[in-house]
Amino acid sequence: EMQIEAADGRRKTILNYALPIRGEEDRIVGAVAVNVDITGRKADERREELLAAAGAVLSTPLEMDGRLKRLAALVAGRMADYAVIDLLDGEGELRRLEVGHGDGEEQAALAERLRRHPSEAGFWEGTTRAVERGEVVLVEEVPPEGTGDVFEQPGHAVLARELGARSILVVPLKADGRVTGALTLISTRPERLYGRADVDVAKELADRMALALENVRLFEKAQRAIRERVSEIADPSHPPLGYRAA
């Protein structure tokens, strides 16, 4: 098994077999080499590993924000160079929860800018569209100039160039018909341009995140109802259980 670089600059994984060709007196006079492209199979294995790891993170006994932050770091390490999680607040406005990023001081600095100054960096139109319409936004390959249909705002094109974005994928966080935010994946590598298979994995990740958020919301709602009921019962003016006020 070995890594090669194809003519288009993409990295591929191949299995290499070589068998000798023997002539008279069993002397080796040549060889037959066979290369099998297993890039797709290896990618499927990595995706399955990522989903398993994501499930483990979401099931940890941490506050929800903490679980999502760990998940962003996990995704940035395996499926993206930057993984951005935006959530809708109580006013229906997007807020940036976390920006996971790969190794390197430059990536860390850009991620910190995205994390601390979302209004300056801008909620990319694709993120807003994914949340408002509840649909996936995929830019398989970002054009070098970063213009056209990809970026409507000049500032967003500048940021994309600074990030070195080569491919972008945004999926809404949706559970029970409600959109609660978005997961944005940014690749800076020419060999990792997002496609249909990546969309399926990202949607699975987003669905798991959204379900975890919905479970937390329902749990907190139930806890509030219990506290309110206990408060009512503790109120001296409240009629005893089993009796109805006249």
Side-chain angles (χ1 to χ4, degrees):
E1 184 177 310
M2 58 191 297
Q3 298 285 324
I4 65 169
E5 183 173 324
D8 60 2
R10 300 188 186 189
R11 302 287 296 177
K12 290 184 176 293
T13 304
I14 64 169
L15 281 178
N16 177 264
Y17 300 93
L19 297 173
I21 299 175
R22 299 183 181 274
E24 295 180 359
E25 300 180 358
D26 204 33
R27 287 182 299 179
I28 296 176
V29 296
V32 175
V34 178
N35 293 321
V36 180
D37 187 349
I38 60 170
T39 305
R41 191 183 81 190
K42 299 297 288 186
D44 288 342
E45 291 175 359
R46 288 192 295 270
R47 293 182 186 108
E48 289 300 321
E49 292 172 357
L50 172 60
L51 290 174
V57 168
L58 289 173
S59 63
T60 55
L62 294 174
E63 292 293 331
M64 196 63 225
D65 281 8
R67 280 182 267 176
L68 292 180
K69 288 178 179 180
R70 285 184 59 182
L71 186 61
L74 173 70
V75 174
R78 301 194 187 191
M79 193 178 175
D81 294 288
Y82 299 94
V84 184
I85 298 177
D86 296 314
L87 298 179
L88 289 172
D89 62 19
E91 303 298 321
E93 299 293 330
L94 279 171
R95 68 177 180 89
R96 184 141 296 162
L97 174 66
E98 182 60 13
V99 180
H101 60 87
D103 297 330
E105 294 183 2
E106 184 177 357
Q107 280 191 318
L110 287 168
E112 188 63 18
R113 176 185 167 191
L114 284 169
R115 185 184 297 113
R116 291 182 176 275
H117 306 288
S119 58
E120 171 196 321
F123 287 110
W124 175 53
E125 297 90 348
T127 303
T128 305
R129 192 185 319 147
V131 172
E132 291 180 346
R133 302 180 184 178
E135 63 184 25
V136 173
V137 176
L138 171 63
V139 181
E140 293 187 19
E141 189 164 8
V142 177
E145 67 277 7
T147 58
D149 295 333
V150 179
F151 302 106
E152 297 175 9
Q153 300 295 327
H156 298 170
V158 171
L159 178 61
R161 285 195 294 270
E162 290 180 6
L163 293 173
R166 300 295 296 266
S167 190
I168 304 174
L169 172 58
V170 190
V171 287
L173 307 183
K174 189 191 308 184
D176 197 26
R178 298 174 61 253
V179 175
T180 55
L183 170 65
T184 301
L185 306 180
I186 302 172
S187 171
T188 65
R189 307 180 192 186
E191 70 272 16
R192 183 165 59 196
L193 302 181
Y194 296 126
R196 190 70 251 168
D198 300 297
V199 170
D200 292 340
V201 175
K203 286 176 66 176
E204 178 67 24
L205 282 171
D207 287 346
R208 295 187 185 193
M209 293 166 60
L211 180 59
L213 286 166
E214 180 67 6
N215 288 339
V216 169
R217 186 186 71 83
L218 293 175
F219 176 77
E220 292 177 346
K221 181 180 179 180
Q223 290 293 96
R224 286 194 300 270
I226 292 172
R227 287 195 297 269
E228 290 172 2
R229 183 57 177 159
V230 170
S231 179
E232 289 177 1
I233 294 173
D235 187 348
S237 64
H238 190 275
L241 292 175
Y243 290 87
R244 180 177 297 177

